[in-house]
Amino acid sequence: MMSATNSDECDLVMNHSAADRCAFVKNTPDCNMEDGFVNYLSVAFCLLPPNLTPLTITLCVVWLLFLFVILGLAASKFFCPNLSAISSSLHLTHNVAGVTFLALGNGSPDIFSAMAAFSHPHTAGLAVGALFGAGIFVTTVVAGSVALVKPFTVASRPFLRDVIFYMVAVFWTFLMLYRGTTTLGETLGYLGLYVVYVLTVIISSYIYKRQKYSVNTSVQNISHVPEVHSSDSSDDEVAPLTDGILHHEYESEYRPLLPYSETTSQILLSSLNPVDHRKWRRKSWGWRVLKVLKTPLEVLLLLCVPVVDPDKEDKNWRRPLNCLHLITAPLVCVLTFQSGKYGQYMIQGQFPLWLLIFLLGLFLSAIVFCTTTNDGPPKYHPLFALLGFVVSAVLISAAASEVVSLLHMLGVVLSLSNTVLGLTLLAWGNSIGDCFSDITIARQGYPRMAIAACFGGIIFNMLFGVGLGCLVQMIHTTQSDVQFESGGLLTWILAGSLGLSLALSFVIVPLCRFHLGRTYGIFLLIFYAIFLLIALLTEFGKIHTV
């Protein structure tokens, strides 16, 4: 999508014979991907003999699935909890935290993938395809599935607010692609649109609370107070309270009757065990198999990333493990930041940077270990949430870079454009977790919360994914503008389909009196199937401009 001085010479590798492809990749500078730990083009054509290329591609697809698991685990188990702890330490309201920190936590894979894709001209089409593709997927498949699972009446004003802001974001993105350029001022204004959205959410929430308070005050002397329903009310006002009560009862049921103090080694071993034996007995076999497969990865992440839980009594303070984090977390940042660029950096050409970080972490860890106890967290424990946030962000960024590089390789091998890979594999991989979580929330009786998550999160992903991607590109190229090249008919089909789905929802939902039933859910699923069919037919040349 982005224009560049160099041509896409590496895409011509499939025009050569199987025996010559490895030499072509090694001798073509355009095939040297700077982003990522692995040059996947060399892996595809040079790791195994040419007749075993299908096996190499299969292994790369398995590795791609593993990278998506890393993205999901790092975001859900480490990035989001630490953001929640930071917002609690800053005493933010639920509305502000939801549209800032929670949105960043939920959209971190999409945003980091978009930033990684924008960093290289070859893969910029992945970012546009993924953001538009994920937008269509979430607003049709996920929203349609929620309506099928639990028909409900959506909160009218929040729904219209989110749809309007998302349509503005999509239209603005379309204008940038159509004009083929964006300036620094326009990019900052693009990011500023989300600030306007946040302020709108805060002000509307304040007005709603004032109206609710005035109604309750006017009827407080009446013996029977009727239940007040508002179009702005939402299930998420009830869900956190219910979850908190259930969590408290669950923990108190298994609390020991007599005081019991674990040793330091026992605390360390129990902290590194990601399997809750109480949950294990209640879960299905499928869940257990998946948990066993993810356990080694979770243990590695637990060793490197601290997690602060404000809902727990001890804030998840684990003295031996948290002291170990002061050594491992900075090391992980140095070794993985910008795909290991600083892992071999020598200070004045003599002293390795990673060794200095290791010694400083060891010194700080010894101080913390000697000045704290196992019984309770120190006053500076919230700083561990900031450390966990930084480390998990670096890990997500590194995994996102690998995903983008791997998808680019698959596009070259399979002769697919980056746009179609973005709207399918990358969009599905980043959105499938949201799909299952939103459907689960709807089944638990909170469909309004699920539909709010569908629209609120993708507004953040679109504005920050494109905005920060362009901003980072400007910093790298030291230019005040970014030039775009048209991705062809497929890009306009993407933008038009997303705009059409939003416009139809904006018209149909009010006509149905804001009731999302199974008919509407089936309509959305059919819409996505038709869009996907048209996109694939366009990619393979069956649909083209005259």
Side-chain angles (χ1 to χ4, degrees):
M1 292 290 298
M2 282 187 187
S3 62
T5 55
N6 55 341
S7 59
D8 297 344
E9 295 176 2
C10 198
D11 293 342
L12 303 176
V13 64
M14 298 306 294
N15 296 339
H16 293 72
S17 64
D20 297 334
R21 288 170 185 168
C22 180
F24 178 85
V25 168
K26 288 182 177 180
N27 297 327
T28 305
D30 191 43
C31 294
N32 296 327
M33 297 292 292
E34 298 178 357
D35 299 321
F37 290 92
V38 181
N39 188 334
Y40 292 101
L41 287 168
S42 296
V43 170
F45 298 112
C46 303
L47 179 64
L48 295 176
N51 59 331
L52 294 179
T53 299
L55 176 60
T56 307
I57 302 303
T58 303
L59 293 176
C60 287
V61 171
V62 173
W63 174 237
L64 178 65
L65 296 176
F66 184 74
L67 287 173
F68 279 128
V69 172
I70 294 177
L71 282 172
L73 276 178
S76 61
K77 299 285 187 180
F78 299 91
F79 194 75
C80 288
N82 283 315
L83 281 178
S84 176
I86 292 173
S87 64
S88 297
S89 300
L90 297 175
H91 303 291
L92 299 179
T93 63
H94 290 292
N95 284 304
V96 178
V99 295
T100 53
F101 286 108
L102 184 58
L104 175 60
N106 292 339
S108 54
D110 304 85
I111 294 167
F112 283 110
S113 297
M115 292 175 63
F118 268 117
S119 65
H120 199 280
H122 291 312
T123 55
L126 278 172
V128 176
L131 291 172
F132 278 91
I136 300 173
F137 182 83
V138 170
T139 55
T140 56
V141 176
V142 180
S145 300
V146 170
L148 282 173
V149 168
K150 191 80 172 179
F152 68 103
T153 301
V154 72
S156 58
R157 279 176 282 185
F159 176 81
L160 294 176
R161 176 198 65 207
D162 292 345
V163 171
I164 289 172
F165 268 96
Y166 195 33
M167 284 195 293
V168 172
V170 171
F171 182 70
W172 198 338
T173 308
F174 173 80
L175 282 181
M176 289 196 299
L177 295 175
Y178 180 76
R179 288 188 286 105
T181 183
T182 181
T183 62
L184 176 60
E186 186 178 24
T187 302
L188 294 177
Y190 190 79
L191 293 171
L193 179 61
Y194 193 77
V195 177
V196 176
Y197 172 71
V198 171
L199 293 176
T200 304
V201 171
I202 296 172
I203 294 172
S204 61
S205 175
Y206 174 76
I207 293 173
Y208 163 66
K209 288 180 179 178
R210 286 293 301 268
Q211 289 178 344
K212 187 177 180 180
Y213 175 78
S214 61
V215 170
N216 291 338
T217 303
S218 62
V219 296
Q220 62 182 350
N221 295 326
I222 304 176
S223 57
H224 175 68
V225 180
E227 183 181 0
V228 179
H229 293 279
S230 170
S231 61
D232 280 339
S233 62
S234 181
D235 299 321
D236 52 359
E237 296 177 2
V238 184
L241 178 62
T242 308
D243 291 344
I245 294 172
L246 292 176
H247 177 76
H248 177 74
E249 292 178 351
Y250 178 77
E251 292 293 331
S252 61
E253 181 183 351
Y254 290 92
R255 189 172 296 168
L257 296 176
L258 299 176
Y260 173 71
S261 179
E262 290 182 309
T263 63
T264 300
S265 58
Q266 288 176 329
I267 293 175
L268 179 61
L269 292 175
S270 63
S271 301
L272 293 175
N273 180 19
V275 180
D276 188 341
H277 66 277
R278 294 168 290 187
K279 287 184 179 179
W280 180 270
R281 292 196 297 263
R282 302 197 313 269
K283 295 295 184 178
S284 63
W285 283 104
W287 183 91
R288 295 181 186 182
V289 171
L290 186 60
K291 187 68 176 179
V292 169
L293 295 176
K294 293 193 299 183
T295 293
L297 180 59
E298 286 192 64
V299 172
L300 288 176
L301 290 173
L302 286 170
L303 280 169
C304 303
V305 188
V307 178
V308 177
D309 190 348
D311 295 329
K312 288 187 177 180
E313 214 173 290
D314 58 357
K315 311 297 181 185
N316 203 38
W317 167 250
R318 302 291 183 267
R319 178 169 164 249
L321 182 59
N322 288 141
C323 291
L324 182 62
H325 286 149
L326 295 174
I327 303 173
T328 58
L331 273 179
V332 168
C333 288
V334 172
L335 296 176
T336 58
F337 183 64
Q338 291 190 353
S339 301
K341 180 180 179 181
Y342 298 96
Q344 299 178 344
Y345 181 80
M346 304 291 287
I347 301 175
Q348 295 184 348
Q350 297 180 348
F351 197 79
L353 176 62
W354 68 265
L355 184 56
L356 175 63
I357 297 296
F358 172 77
L359 294 176
L360 290 175
L362 191 64
F363 176 71
L364 190 60
S365 176
I367 293 177
V368 172
F369 189 82
C370 295
T371 56
T372 57
T373 63
N374 295 331
D375 300 328
K379 293 182 179 180
Y380 52 81
H381 186 226
L383 292 177
F384 280 87
L386 183 61
L387 177 62
F389 161 73
V390 172
V391 181
S392 54
V394 171
L395 287 174
I396 291 172
S397 178
S401 296
E402 295 300 305
V403 168
V404 169
S405 299
L406 186 51
L407 286 176
H408 178 240
M409 181 274 291
L410 291 176
V412 171
V413 173
L414 302 176
S415 299
L416 295 173
S417 68
N418 285 323
T419 304
V420 79
L421 286 171
L423 73 91
T424 53
L425 292 180
L426 189 55
W428 294 340
N430 287 338
S431 303
I432 198 69
D434 296 334
C435 180
F436 286 123
S437 61
D438 288 343
I439 291 174
T440 302
I441 291 172
R443 283 177 174 169
Q444 292 174 350
Y446 306 109
R448 283 187 177 180
M449 188 195 304
I451 208 72
C454 288
F455 286 93
I458 54 179
I459 296 173
F460 183 87
N461 296 348
M462 174 70 74
L463 293 174
F464 272 72
V466 176
L468 289 181
C470 293
L471 203 59
V472 169
Q473 184 69 6
M474 290 177 188
I475 295 172
H476 284 172
T477 59
T478 64
Q479 295 180 352
S480 60
D481 62 345
V482 172
Q483 301 295 323
F484 294 95
E485 287 182 355
S486 174
L489 180 61
L490 186 58
T491 301
W492 311 128
I493 290 176
L494 263 173
S497 299
L498 180 55
L500 180 61
S501 70
L502 293 173
L504 290 175
S505 294
F506 185 75
V507 173
I508 294 174
V509 174
L511 290 177
C512 296
R513 297 183 179 181
F514 296 95
H515 180 75
L516 303 186
R518 290 187 171 88
T519 304
Y520 178 72
I522 294 173
F523 163 75
L524 291 179
L525 295 177
I526 293 175
F527 182 93
Y528 184 79
I530 295 174
F531 152 75
L532 194 60
L533 178 62
I534 294 175
L536 293 177
L537 289 176
T538 304
E539 173 65 19
F540 295 116
K542 301 300 181 182
I543 299 177
H544 52 81
T545 55
V546 179

